[in-house]
Amino acid sequence: MSQELLNLSLSALSTKIRSREVTSVEATEACLDSIDAHNSSVNAFLRVDHEGALNAAKASDAEIGRGQWRGPLHGIPLAHKDMFYRDGEVSTGGSRILSNISADRTATVLVKLSEAGSVTLGWLNMAEFAAGPTGQNDHYGACRNPWDLNRISGGSSSGSGASVSARFVYGSLGSDTGGSIRLPAGICGVTGLKPTYGRVSRFGGMPRCWSLDVFGPLARTAQDCAIIMQAIAGRDLRDSTTADVHVPNYQDALRSNLKGVTIGVPDNHFYNELEESIRPLHEGAIAQMRDLGATIKHLSIPDPGPIYRLTNLINKAEAAALHGRWIQERPQDYNLSTLARIEAGFHIPATSYIEALNLRPVLLRDFHAAVFETGCDALYVPVLTGPVPTIAETSIDDAAAAPSIIDSVTRCTRWASYLGVPGLSFPCGFASGLPVSAQLIGPTFCEDLLLGCVHAYQQATNWHKARPVLKGN
């Protein structure tokens, strides 16, 4: 029964909980048993709240039994990256510095998920201060890829991707500043949505880079991500950067085919850089989308190289501003790799930073004209152009090779964060036993389009149903 429950998607479990075929307690116990059995090898969870989770699950079952069903997240076990503050509790941000500081507020996204009736199992591992695309953390240990424990899980939302993949939880929240939702989702073989900048409130979440940060869901399927997005999206007066725009019904946007949709495939960047071991998988995914009715359009896109460099500039400058006092007073409490990334920001001229910010609307306009104004509804881009690196390959101890490998990990994701456009990562095959994933990039505030397209693809394929085999502790 437990294994059967763990294999369900969030949406399928929700249906069973609502009909009382399955209880929230049963689903929560199944997740907790799986965490207890396997987390020591994966290292996705930093803290597990067994008692609190079971109490919340019992309360959910009681409410549902009284006919007080709150919606599709009611009674669903979730866990989140350890950077979303909850009043009176510690959120470490993957760091030593925040490990004993209690929050004085609760993140809006957590408030909304609580109001939706979800059950929180605990707090997930992450790169220190969300600064790292691999999932390594010197303080709490590397979060490992459930498909191969010697491989990276992707970061910085490492525990989010790994916990959903390992079937510890049915969904999770992460943050994305340069790929930190899409990378762990893609590398661990699950689905992850980076929303448009301003679509989801960031109030009460640990900042990494305020001009680029977004919060979003990781789950088994596009439909599951749609359910979580419905709960967390929208204007928040406590976050002045949230956009006052209509939030569509994301589940209503799910579709069974891609008729009338045009998918762009760039000929001059990303796709042409694919290693031969994974190229056939992306060709197969594009062919499947064509079979579902999509028009596939090959096109040239603006060079992402300058955008990539501007993203790094903004990221480093804002991180230096956020961490200046701590780096001066407590440099020994940082991972060396995190410290190196942030310290570089102290040497960026203010004029260069301001220019990078001012170029954003210009480059977004150019990108929109080159892609979406030519008839494309979404752009198909790989998550990685090569195989998933090992933890050893991305270790700072390998000073010669690590920087170039780490840069290659974010090659396909970071530019979209600068533009502020949404991206949805999803699995499209396996190579050498490891997930291979793609992402659809869309116009601003078109998350519903991306979710609908990937849902149609997942209805016709089974890659998202694959699960890793984990050995017991």
Side-chain angles (χ1 to χ4, degrees):
M1 178 65 172
S2 292
Q3 194 59 60
E4 180 182 339
L5 284 179
L6 293 174
N7 285 334
L8 293 174
S9 65
L10 186 157
S11 56
L13 176 64
S14 176
T15 299
K16 289 182 179 294
I17 287 178
R18 185 182 187 185
S19 67
R20 303 183 68 188
E21 180 181 345
V22 170
T23 66
S24 176
V25 167
E26 289 171 334
T28 300
E29 288 178 336
C31 289
L32 292 172
D33 288 345
S34 183
I35 295 165
D36 290 343
H38 303 298
N39 186 59
S40 65
S41 59
V42 178
N43 197 29
F45 271 83
L46 296 181
R47 303 184 302 283
V48 183
D49 184 5
H50 291 78
E51 182 180 358
L54 287 172
N55 287 339
K58 291 174 184 176
S60 292
D61 287 333
E63 285 187 340
I64 294 169
R66 295 193 298 266
Q68 298 171 329
W69 187 68
R70 301 192 194 185
L73 286 175
H74 203 170
I76 301 294
L78 307 174
H80 310 297
K81 189 175 184 177
D82 196 22
M83 56 163 281
F84 299 105
Y85 303 144
R86 192 180 295 277
D87 191 16
E89 297 184 14
V90 170
S91 292
T92 69
S95 73
R96 181 178 295 166
I97 290 172
L98 296 178
S99 62
N100 59 0
I101 299 176
S102 297
D104 61 357
R105 69 199 70 182
T106 299
T108 294
V109 288
L110 294 189
V111 172
K112 289 186 172 184
L113 290 177
S114 178
E115 291 173 347
S118 69
V119 174
T120 299
L121 301 187
W123 303 101
L124 299 171
N125 204 348
M126 59 179 287
E128 181 186 34
F129 290 118
T134 65
Q136 299 191 51
N137 187 307
D138 292 348
H139 304 309
Y140 302 105
C143 180
R144 298 176 178 272
N145 193 318
W147 293 96
D148 180 345
L149 299 178
N150 294 313
R151 303 275 173 173
I152 66 169
S153 58
S156 60
S157 308
S158 51
S160 299
S163 64
V164 174
S165 175
R167 295 341 191 227
F168 293 163
V169 295
Y170 295 90
S172 177
L173 291 183
S175 67
D176 194 311
T177 306
S180 292
I181 289 172
R182 291 161 290 153
L183 285 169
I187 288 170
C188 293
V190 301
T191 307
L193 175 63
K194 171 209 171 298
T196 304
Y197 182 84
R199 173 62 93 180
V200 176
S201 173
R202 297 175 301 174
F203 176 82
M206 184 201 76
R208 164 74 176 110
C209 173
W210 61 83
S211 295
L212 305 176
D213 293 342
V214 297
F215 299 161
L218 297 89
R220 315 273 173 84
T221 69
Q223 183 175 11
D224 295 349
C225 286
I227 290 172
I228 297 174
M229 267 298 290
Q230 201 69 59
I232 64 174
R235 179 84 169 110
D236 179 11
L237 295 179
R238 293 172 296 181
D239 177 1
S240 62
T241 66
T242 50
D244 188 12
V245 295
H246 171 70
V247 176
N249 187 311
Y250 294 113
Q251 289 215 74
D252 284 352
L254 302 180
R255 49 195 301 157
S256 60
N257 62 65
L258 296 179
K259 293 178 181 178
V261 176
T262 298
I263 305 292
V265 178
D267 286 331
N268 58 334
H269 295 289
F270 306 127
Y271 187 71
N272 64 335
E273 301 163 18
L274 289 173
E275 293 194 11
E276 291 306 313
S277 61
I278 64 175
R279 177 180 294 276
L281 298 172
H282 288 288
E283 290 175 343
I286 292 168
Q288 181 66 67
M289 291 180 177
R290 181 185 291 112
D291 290 344
L292 287 166
T295 298
I296 304 301
K297 180 176 181 177
H298 291 266
L299 75 164
S300 294
I301 64 171
D303 183 2
I307 298 176
Y308 187 95
R309 291 188 288 274
L310 291 169
T311 310
N312 281 345
L313 191 153
I314 292 173
N315 205 324
K316 288 178 169 57
E318 293 188 2
L322 287 166
H323 291 268
R325 181 172 61 83
W326 283 339
I327 286 180
Q328 184 179 19
E329 297 175 355
R330 303 177 61 174
Q332 73 281 359
D333 289 329
Y334 283 83
N335 294 339
L336 288 178
S337 58
T338 307
L339 189 63
R341 285 190 181 95
I342 295 174
E343 282 186 326
F346 295 129
H347 306 288
I348 294 173
T351 52
S352 297
Y353 167 69
I354 293 170
E355 182 181 24
L357 290 177
N358 287 339
L359 282 172
R360 288 178 79 184
V362 176
L363 294 174
L364 174 60
R365 180 199 63 199
D366 293 346
F367 176 79
H368 196 280
V371 178
F372 303 121
E373 291 180 17
T374 62
C376 291
D377 298 297
L379 189 70
Y380 182 102
V381 179
V383 172
L384 297 181
T385 57
V388 178
T390 65
I391 292 174
E393 286 172 334
T394 58
S395 171
I396 197 171
D397 295 333
D398 190 349
S404 63
I405 293 175
I406 291 173
D407 281 346
S408 72
V409 169
T410 58
R411 170 91 171 89
C412 298
T413 59
R414 187 164 291 184
W415 60 278
S417 293
Y418 177 86
L419 297 177
V421 294
L424 181 59
S425 172
F426 59 97
C428 63
F430 284 82
S432 301
L434 293 167
V436 174
S437 297
Q439 52 180 334
L440 287 184
I441 306 295
T444 54
F445 301 108
C446 284
E447 294 85 2
D448 52 341
L449 168 71
L450 303 183
L451 290 164
C453 290
V454 174
H455 177 73
Y457 175 79
Q458 291 180 332
Q459 294 301 103
T461 59
N462 291 313
W463 303 119
H464 60 287
K465 296 181 181 179
R467 61 163 295 166
V469 177
L470 297 172
K471 297 179 180 180
N473 291 342

